[in-house]
Coordinates of all heavy atoms in Angstrom, one line a residue:
M1089 N 0.9 -1.2 0.0 CA 0.0 0.0 0.0 C 0.9 1.3 0.0 O 1.9 1.3 0.7 CB -0.9 0.0 1.2 CG -1.7 1.2 1.5 SD -2.7 1.1 3.0 CE -3.1 -0.5 3.1
K1090 N 0.6 2.1 -0.9 CA 1.3 3.3 -1.0 C 1.0 4.4 0.0 O -0.1 4.6 0.4 CB 1.1 3.9 -2.4 CG 2.0 5.1 -2.8 CD 1.7 5.5 -4.2 CE 2.7 6.7 -4.5 NZ 2.4 7.2 -5.8
M1091 N 2.1 5.1 0.4 CA 1.9 6.2 1.4 C 1.7 7.5 0.6 O 2.7 8.1 0.2 CB 3.1 6.2 2.3 CG 2.9 7.3 3.4 SD 1.6 6.9 4.6 CE 2.4 7.1 6.1
T1092 N 0.4 7.8 0.3 CA 0.2 9.0 -0.5 C 0.5 10.2 0.3 O 0.6 10.2 1.5 CB -1.3 9.0 -0.9 OG1 -2.1 9.1 0.2 CG2 -1.7 7.7 -1.7
E1093 N 0.5 11.4 -0.5 CA 0.7 12.7 0.2 C -0.4 12.9 1.2 O -0.2 13.5 2.3 CB 0.9 13.8 -0.8 CG 2.2 13.8 -1.6 CD 2.4 15.0 -2.4 OE1 1.9 16.1 -2.0 OE2 3.0 14.8 -3.5
R1094 N -1.7 12.6 0.8 CA -2.8 12.8 1.7 C -2.6 12.0 3.0 O -2.8 12.5 4.1 CB -4.1 12.5 1.0 CG -5.2 12.8 2.0 CD -6.6 12.9 1.3 NE -6.9 11.7 0.5 CZ -8.0 11.7 -0.3 NH1 -8.8 12.7 -0.4 NH2 -8.3 10.6 -1.0
R1095 N -2.2 10.8 2.9 CA -2.0 9.9 4.1 C -0.9 10.5 4.9 O -1.0 10.5 6.1 CB -1.7 8.5 3.6 CG -3.0 7.8 3.1 CD -2.8 6.4 2.8 NE -3.9 5.9 2.1 CZ -3.9 4.9 1.2 NH1 -2.8 4.3 0.9 NH2 -5.0 4.5 0.6
Q1096 N 0.2 10.9 4.3 CA 1.2 11.5 5.0 C 0.8 12.8 5.8 O 1.2 12.9 6.9 CB 2.4 11.9 4.1 CG 3.2 10.8 3.5 CD 4.2 11.2 2.5 OE1 4.7 12.3 2.6 NE2 4.6 10.2 1.6
M1097 N 0.0 13.6 5.1 CA -0.5 14.8 5.7 C -1.4 14.4 6.9 O -1.3 15.0 8.0 CB -1.3 15.6 4.7 CG -2.0 16.8 5.4 SD -3.3 17.6 4.4 CE -4.5 16.2 4.2
L1098 N -2.3 13.5 6.7 CA -3.2 13.1 7.8 C -2.4 12.5 9.0 O -2.8 12.8 10.1 CB -4.3 12.1 7.3 CG -5.3 12.7 6.4 CD1 -6.3 11.6 5.8 CD2 -6.2 13.7 7.1
L1099 N -1.5 11.6 8.7 CA -0.6 11.1 9.7 C 0.1 12.2 10.5 O 0.1 12.2 11.7 CB 0.4 10.1 9.2 CG 1.4 9.5 10.2 CD1 0.6 8.7 11.2 CD2 2.3 8.6 9.5
A1100 N 0.7 13.2 9.8 CA 1.4 14.3 10.5 C 0.4 15.1 11.3 O 0.7 15.4 12.5 CB 2.0 15.2 9.5
L1101 N -0.9 15.4 10.9 CA -1.8 16.1 11.6 C -2.4 15.3 12.8 O -2.5 15.9 13.9 CB -3.0 16.5 10.7 CG -2.7 17.5 9.6 CD1 -3.9 17.8 8.8 CD2 -2.5 18.9 10.4
L1102 N -2.5 14.0 12.6 CA -2.9 13.2 13.7 C -2.0 13.2 14.8 O -2.3 13.4 16.0 CB -3.1 11.7 13.2 CG -3.5 10.7 14.3 CD1 -5.0 10.8 14.5 CD2 -3.2 9.3 13.8
I1103 N -0.7 13.1 14.5 CA 0.3 13.1 15.5 C 0.5 14.4 16.2 O 0.6 14.6 17.4 CB 1.7 12.6 15.0 CG1 1.6 11.2 14.7 CG2 2.8 13.0 15.9 CD1 2.8 10.5 13.9
K1104 N 0.4 15.5 15.3 CA 0.5 16.9 15.9 C -0.7 17.2 16.8 O -0.5 17.7 18.0 CB 0.4 17.9 14.7 CG 0.5 19.4 15.2 CD 0.3 20.3 14.0 CE 0.2 21.7 14.5 NZ -0.2 22.6 13.4
E1105 N -1.9 16.8 16.5 CA -3.0 17.0 17.3 C -3.0 16.2 18.6 O -3.3 16.6 19.7 CB -4.4 16.7 16.6 CG -4.7 17.7 15.5 CD -5.0 19.1 16.0 OE1 -5.8 19.2 16.9 OE2 -4.3 20.1 15.6
Y1106 N -2.5 15.0 18.4 CA -2.4 14.1 19.6 C -1.4 14.5 20.6 O -1.7 14.6 21.8 CB -2.0 12.6 19.2 CG -1.8 11.7 20.3 CD1 -2.8 11.2 21.0 CD2 -0.5 11.3 20.6 CE1 -2.6 10.4 22.2 CE2 -0.2 10.5 21.7 CZ -1.3 10.0 22.5 OH -1.1 9.2 23.5
V1107 N -0.3 15.1 20.1 CA 0.8 15.5 21.0 C 0.3 16.8 21.7 O 0.6 17.0 22.8 CB 2.1 15.8 20.2 CG1 3.1 16.6 21.0 CG2 2.7 14.5 19.7
S1108 N -0.4 17.7 20.9 CA -0.8 19.0 21.5 C -2.0 18.8 22.5 O -2.1 19.5 23.5 CB -1.1 20.0 20.5 OG -2.3 19.6 19.8
K1109 N -2.9 17.9 22.3 CA -4.0 17.6 23.2 C -3.9 16.5 24.1 O -4.8 16.5 25.1 CB -5.3 17.5 22.3 CG -5.6 18.7 21.4 CD -6.7 18.5 20.6 CE -7.0 19.7 19.7 NZ -8.1 19.6 18.9
A1110 N -3.0 15.6 23.9 CA -2.9 14.4 24.7 C -4.2 13.6 24.8 O -4.5 13.0 25.8 CB -2.3 14.7 26.1
L1111 N -4.9 13.6 23.7 CA -6.2 12.9 23.7 C -6.3 12.1 22.3 O -5.6 12.5 21.3 CB -7.4 13.9 23.7 CG -7.6 14.7 24.9 CD1 -8.7 15.8 24.7 CD2 -8.0 13.8 26.1
P1112 N -7.1 11.1 22.3 CA -7.3 10.3 21.0 C -7.8 11.3 19.9 O -8.7 12.2 20.3 CB -8.3 9.2 21.3 CG -8.3 9.1 22.8 CD -7.9 10.5 23.4
I1113 N -7.4 11.2 18.7 CA -7.8 12.0 17.6 C -8.5 11.1 16.6 O -8.0 10.2 16.1 CB -6.6 12.7 17.0 CG1 -5.8 13.5 18.1 CG2 -7.0 13.7 15.9 CD1 -6.6 14.6 18.7
G1114 N -9.7 11.6 16.2 CA -10.5 10.8 15.2 C -10.8 11.7 14.0 O -10.3 12.8 13.9
S1115 N -11.6 11.0 13.1 CA -11.9 11.8 11.8 C -12.6 13.0 12.0 O -12.4 14.0 11.3 CB -12.6 10.8 10.9 OG -13.8 10.4 11.5
E1116 N -13.5 13.1 13.0 CA -14.3 14.3 13.2 C -13.4 15.5 13.6 O -13.5 16.6 13.2 CB -15.4 14.1 14.3 CG -16.5 13.3 13.8 CD -17.3 13.9 12.7 OE1 -17.5 15.1 12.7 OE2 -17.8 13.2 11.8
T1117 N -12.4 15.2 14.5 CA -11.5 16.2 14.9 C -10.6 16.6 13.8 O -10.4 17.9 13.6 CB -10.5 15.6 16.1 OG1 -11.3 15.2 17.2 CG2 -9.5 16.7 16.5
L1118 N -10.1 15.8 13.0 CA -9.3 16.1 11.8 C -10.1 16.9 10.8 O -9.6 17.8 10.2 CB -8.6 14.9 11.2 CG -7.5 14.3 12.0 CD1 -7.1 12.9 11.3 CD2 -6.4 15.2 12.4
S1119 N -11.4 16.6 10.7 CA -12.3 17.2 9.6 C -12.5 18.7 10.0 O -12.7 19.6 9.2 CB -13.5 16.5 9.4 OG -14.4 16.6 10.5
K1120 N -12.4 19.0 11.3 CA -12.7 20.3 11.8 C -11.4 21.3 11.4 O -11.5 22.5 11.7 CB -12.9 20.4 13.2 CG -14.2 19.8 13.6 CD -14.4 19.7 15.1 CE -15.7 19.0 15.4 NZ -15.9 18.7 16.8
L1121 N -10.3 20.7 10.9 CA -9.2 21.5 10.6 C -9.3 22.1 9.2 O -8.3 22.6 8.6 CB -7.9 20.6 10.7 CG -7.6 20.1 12.0 CD1 -6.4 19.1 11.9 CD2 -7.4 21.1 13.0
D1122 N -10.4 22.0 8.5 CA -10.7 22.5 7.3 C -9.8 22.1 6.2 O -9.1 22.9 5.5 CB -10.8 24.1 7.4 CG -11.5 24.8 6.1 OD1 -12.3 24.1 5.6 OD2 -11.1 25.9 5.8
L1123 N -9.7 20.8 6.1 CA -8.8 20.2 5.1 C -9.4 20.0 3.7 O -8.8 19.6 2.7 CB -8.3 18.8 5.6 CG -7.7 18.8 7.0 CD1 -7.5 17.3 7.4 CD2 -6.4 19.6 6.9
G1124 N -10.7 20.2 3.7 CA -11.4 20.0 2.4 C -11.7 18.5 2.1 O -11.9 18.1 0.9
I1125 N -11.6 17.7 3.2 CA -11.8 16.2 3.1 C -12.9 15.8 4.1 O -12.9 16.3 5.2 CB -10.5 15.4 3.5 CG1 -9.3 15.9 2.6 CG2 -10.7 13.9 3.3 CD1 -8.0 15.4 3.2
S1126 N -13.8 15.0 3.6 CA -14.9 14.7 4.5 C -14.5 13.7 5.6 O -13.5 13.0 5.4 CB -16.1 13.9 3.6 OG -15.6 12.6 3.3
P1127 N -15.2 13.7 6.7 CA -14.9 12.7 7.8 C -14.8 11.3 7.2 O -14.0 10.5 7.7 CB -16.0 12.9 8.8 CG -16.5 14.4 8.6 CD -16.4 14.5 7.1
A1128 N -15.7 10.9 6.3 CA -15.7 9.5 5.8 C -14.4 9.2 5.1 O -13.8 8.1 5.2 CB -16.9 9.4 4.9
T1129 N -14.0 10.2 4.2 CA -12.7 10.0 3.5 C -11.5 9.9 4.5 O -10.6 9.1 4.4 CB -12.4 11.1 2.5 OG1 -13.5 11.2 1.6 CG2 -11.1 11.0 1.8
I1130 N -11.6 10.7 5.6 CA -10.5 10.7 6.6 C -10.5 9.4 7.3 O -9.5 8.8 7.4 CB -10.7 11.8 7.6 CG1 -10.4 13.2 6.9 CG2 -9.8 11.6 8.8 CD1 -10.8 14.4 7.7
R1131 N -11.7 8.8 7.6 CA -11.8 7.5 8.2 C -11.2 6.4 7.3 O -10.5 5.5 7.8 CB -13.3 7.0 8.5 CG -13.8 7.7 9.8 CD -15.1 7.1 10.2 NE -16.2 7.4 9.3 CZ -16.9 8.6 9.2 NH1 -16.6 9.5 10.0 NH2 -17.8 8.7 8.4
N1132 N -11.5 6.5 6.0 CA -10.9 5.5 5.1 C -9.4 5.6 5.0 O -8.7 4.6 4.9 CB -11.5 5.7 3.6 CG -13.0 5.3 3.5 OD1 -13.4 4.5 4.3 ND2 -13.7 5.9 2.6
E1133 N -8.9 6.8 5.0 CA -7.4 7.0 5.0 C -6.8 6.5 6.3 O -5.7 5.9 6.2 CB -7.1 8.4 4.7 CG -7.5 9.0 3.3 CD -6.7 8.3 2.1 OE1 -5.9 7.4 2.3 OE2 -6.9 8.8 1.1
L1134 N -7.4 6.8 7.4 CA -6.9 6.3 8.7 C -7.0 4.7 8.7 O -6.1 4.1 9.3 CB -7.7 6.9 9.8 CG -7.6 8.3 10.1 CD1 -8.5 8.9 11.2 CD2 -6.1 8.8 10.3
A1135 N -8.0 4.1 8.1 CA -8.0 2.7 8.1 C -6.9 2.2 7.2 O -6.3 1.1 7.5 CB -9.3 2.2 7.5
A1136 N -6.6 2.8 6.1 CA -5.4 2.5 5.3 C -4.1 2.6 6.0 O -3.2 1.8 6.0 CB -5.4 3.3 4.0
L1137 N -4.0 3.7 6.8 CA -2.8 3.9 7.7 C -2.7 2.7 8.7 O -1.6 2.2 9.0 CB -2.8 5.2 8.3 CG -2.5 6.4 7.4 CD1 -2.8 7.7 8.2 CD2 -1.1 6.4 6.9
E1138 N -3.9 2.3 9.2 CA -3.9 1.3 10.2 C -3.3 0.0 9.7 O -2.6 -0.8 10.2 CB -5.3 1.1 10.7 CG -5.5 0.1 11.8 CD -6.9 -0.1 12.3 OE1 -7.6 1.0 12.4 OE2 -7.3 -1.2 12.6
K1139 N -3.8 -0.3 8.4 CA -3.3 -1.5 7.7 C -1.8 -1.5 7.5 O -1.1 -2.5 7.6 CB -4.0 -1.7 6.4 CG -5.4 -2.1 6.5 CD -6.0 -2.3 5.2 CE -7.5 -2.7 5.3 NZ -8.2 -2.8 4.1
R1140 N -1.2 -0.3 7.4 CA 0.2 -0.1 7.3 C 0.9 -0.2 8.7 O 2.2 -0.1 8.8 CB 0.5 1.3 6.8 CG 0.9 1.4 5.3 CD 1.2 2.8 5.0 NE 2.7 3.0 5.2 CZ 3.6 2.9 4.2 NH1 3.2 2.5 3.0 NH2 4.8 3.2 4.4
A1141 N 0.1 -0.3 9.7 CA 0.6 -0.3 11.1 C 1.3 1.0 11.5 O 2.2 0.9 12.3 CB 1.5 -1.5 11.3
T1142 N 0.8 2.1 11.0 CA 1.4 3.4 11.4 C 0.5 4.1 12.4 O 0.9 4.6 13.3 CB 1.7 4.3 10.2 OG1 0.5 4.4 9.3 CG2 2.9 3.8 9.4
S1143 N -0.9 4.0 12.1 CA -1.8 4.7 13.0 C -3.3 4.5 12.5 O -3.4 4.2 11.3 CB -1.4 6.2 12.9 OG -2.4 6.9 13.6
P1144 N -4.2 4.6 13.3 CA -4.2 4.5 14.7 C -4.1 3.1 15.2 O -4.0 2.2 14.4 CB -5.5 5.1 15.1 CG -6.5 4.9 13.9 CD -5.5 4.8 12.7
T1145 N -3.9 3.0 16.5 CA -3.8 1.7 17.1 C -5.1 0.9 16.7 O -6.2 1.4 17.0 CB -3.6 1.7 18.6 OG1 -2.6 2.6 18.9 CG2 -3.5 0.4 19.3
P1146 N -4.9 -0.3 16.3 CA -6.2 -1.1 15.9 C -6.9 -1.6 17.1 O -6.5 -2.5 17.8 CB -5.6 -2.2 15.1 CG -4.2 -2.4 15.6 CD -3.7 -1.1 16.0
T1147 N -8.0 -1.0 17.4 CA -8.9 -1.5 18.5 C -10.3 -1.4 17.9 O -10.6 -0.8 16.9 CB -8.8 -0.6 19.7 OG1 -9.3 0.7 19.4 CG2 -7.4 -0.5 20.3
P1148 N -11.3 -2.1 18.5 CA -12.6 -2.0 18.0 C -13.1 -0.5 18.1 O -13.9 -0.1 17.2 CB -13.4 -2.8 19.0 CG -12.4 -3.8 19.5 CD -11.1 -3.1 19.6
R1149 N -12.6 0.3 18.9 CA -13.0 1.8 18.9 C -12.3 2.6 18.0 O -12.6 3.7 17.8 CB -12.8 2.3 20.4 CG -13.5 1.6 21.4 CD -13.2 2.2 22.8 NE -11.8 2.3 23.0 CZ -11.2 3.2 23.7 NH1 -11.9 4.2 24.3 NH2 -9.9 3.3 23.9
R1150 N -11.1 2.1 17.5 CA -10.3 2.9 16.6 C -10.0 4.2 17.4 O -10.4 5.3 17.0 CB -10.9 3.2 15.3 CG -11.0 2.0 14.5 CD -11.3 2.3 13.1 NE -11.5 1.0 12.4 CZ -11.1 0.8 11.2 NH1 -10.6 1.8 10.5 NH2 -11.3 -0.4 10.7
D1151 N -9.3 4.1 18.5 CA -9.2 5.2 19.5 C -8.3 6.4 19.1 O -8.2 7.3 19.8 CB -8.8 4.6 20.8 CG -7.4 3.8 20.7 OD1 -6.7 3.9 19.7 OD2 -7.1 3.1 21.7
G1152 N -7.5 6.2 17.9 CA -6.9 7.4 17.4 C -5.5 7.7 18.1 O -5.0 8.9 18.1
F1153 N -4.9 6.8 18.7 CA -3.6 7.0 19.3 C -2.6 6.6 18.2 O -2.6 5.5 17.7 CB -3.4 6.0 20.5 CG -4.2 6.4 21.7 CD1 -5.3 5.7 22.1 CD2 -3.8 7.5 22.4 CE1 -6.0 6.1 23.2 CE2 -4.6 8.0 23.5 CZ -5.7 7.2 23.9
P1154 N -1.7 7.5 17.9 CA -0.6 7.1 16.9 C 0.3 6.0 17.4 O 0.5 5.9 18.6 CB 0.2 8.4 16.8 CG -0.7 9.5 17.3 CD -1.5 8.8 18.4
R1155 N 0.8 5.2 16.5 CA 1.7 4.2 16.8 C 3.2 4.7 16.7 O 3.4 5.6 16.0 CB 1.5 3.0 15.9 CG 0.3 2.2 16.1 CD 0.4 1.0 15.2 NE -0.7 0.1 15.5 CZ -0.7 -1.2 15.1 NH1 0.3 -1.6 14.3 NH2 -1.7 -1.9 15.4
E1156 N 4.0 4.0 17.4 CA 5.5 4.3 17.3 C 5.9 4.3 15.9 O 6.7 5.2 15.5 CB 6.3 3.3 18.1 CG 7.7 3.7 18.2 CD 8.5 2.8 19.0 OE1 8.0 2.1 19.9 OE2 9.7 2.6 18.8
K1157 N 5.5 3.3 15.1 CA 5.8 3.2 13.7 C 5.4 4.6 12.9 O 6.3 5.0 12.0 CB 5.3 2.0 13.0 CG 5.8 1.8 11.7 CD 5.2 0.5 11.1 CE 5.7 0.3 9.6 NZ 5.2 -1.0 9.1
G1158 N 4.4 5.1 13.3 CA 4.0 6.3 12.6 C 4.9 7.5 12.9 O 5.3 8.3 12.1
Y1159 N 5.3 7.5 14.2 CA 6.3 8.6 14.6 C 7.5 8.4 13.9 O 8.1 9.4 13.4 CB 6.5 8.6 16.1 CG 5.4 9.0 17.0 CD1 4.7 8.2 17.9 CD2 5.0 10.4 17.1 CE1 3.7 8.6 18.7 CE2 4.0 10.8 17.9 CZ 3.3 9.9 18.7 OH 2.3 10.3 19.5
R1160 N 8.0 7.2 13.9 CA 9.3 6.9 13.2 C 9.3 7.3 11.7 O 10.2 7.9 11.1 CB 9.7 5.5 13.4 CG 10.4 5.3 14.8 CD 11.0 3.9 14.8 NE 9.9 3.0 15.3 CZ 9.6 1.9 14.8 NH1 10.4 1.3 13.9 NH2 8.6 1.1 15.3
Y1161 N 8.1 7.0 11.0 CA 8.0 7.4 9.6 C 8.1 8.8 9.4 O 8.9 9.2 8.5 CB 6.6 6.7 9.1 CG 6.4 7.2 7.7 CD1 6.9 6.4 6.6 CD2 5.7 8.3 7.3 CE1 6.7 6.8 5.3 CE2 5.5 8.8 6.1 CZ 6.0 8.0 5.0 OH 5.9 8.4 3.7
L1162 N 7.4 9.5 10.2 CA 7.5 11.0 10.0 C 8.8 11.6 10.4 O 9.3 12.6 9.8 CB 6.4 11.7 10.8 CG 5.0 11.5 10.3 CD1 3.9 12.2 11.2 CD2 4.9 12.1 8.8
S1163 N 9.5 11.0 11.4 CA 10.8 11.6 11.7 C 11.9 11.3 10.7 O 12.9 12.1 10.6 CB 11.3 11.0 13.1 OG 11.6 9.6 13.0
R1164 N 11.7 10.4 9.8 CA 12.6 10.0 8.8 C 12.4 10.9 7.5 O 13.2 10.9 6.6 CB 12.6 8.6 8.3 CG 13.2 7.7 9.4 CD 13.3 6.3 8.9 NE 12.0 5.8 8.5 CZ 11.4 4.7 9.0 NH1 12.0 4.1 10.0 NH2 10.2 4.3 8.6
R1165 N 11.2 11.6 7.4 CA 10.9 12.4 6.3 C 11.7 13.6 6.2 O 12.1 14.3 7.0 CB 9.4 12.7 6.3 CG 8.5 11.7 5.8 CD 7.1 12.1 5.6 NE 7.0 13.4 5.1 CZ 5.9 14.2 5.2 NH1 4.9 13.7 5.8 NH2 5.9 15.4 4.8

């Protein structure tokens, strides 16, 4: 699965919001950042990131906590 620019952007925003708020971040929170992307599209992209094992942690709730692999990916960019 390819890491598209949109997925990279969402991963970066997810981590930024998580670090600043210390709370789980979901699609509704990210959609309020006026990205021009619907919450449903954000959910689909987050699901794709989850399959890459970067984020969010896979739980039935999809709780929006970034994984260590996601942090490492962004730090290498």
Side-chain angles (χ1 to χ4, degrees):
M1089 174 184 324
K1090 186 176 181 183
M1091 185 66 128
T1092 64
E1093 286 190 36
R1094 179 163 57 188
R1095 288 181 188 153
Q1096 290 177 23
M1097 175 197 61
L1098 288 172
L1099 179 60
L1101 288 172
L1102 177 80
I1103 290 172
K1104 179 183 172 192
E1105 290 294 307
Y1106 175 72
V1107 168
S1108 70
K1109 295 180 180 177
L1111 295 170
I1113 305 299
S1115 59
E1116 289 294 325
T1117 301
L1118 293 176
S1119 70
K1120 292 176 184 172
L1121 299 176
D1122 196 28
L1123 305 172
I1125 306 170
S1126 72
T1129 300
I1130 293 171
R1131 278 190 297 278
N1132 290 335
E1133 295 291 8
L1134 292 178
L1137 288 169
E1138 182 178 322
K1139 287 180 183 175
R1140 260 185 88 91
T1142 50
S1143 174
T1145 304
T1147 66
R1149 301 179 306 149
R1150 296 192 182 215
D1151 54 16
F1153 291 105
R1155 287 185 171 195
E1156 183 179 335
K1157 187 175 178 180
Y1159 288 114
R1160 280 188 273 135
Y1161 175 84
L1162 286 179
S1163 69
R1164 288 189 303 243
R1165 277 187 42 199

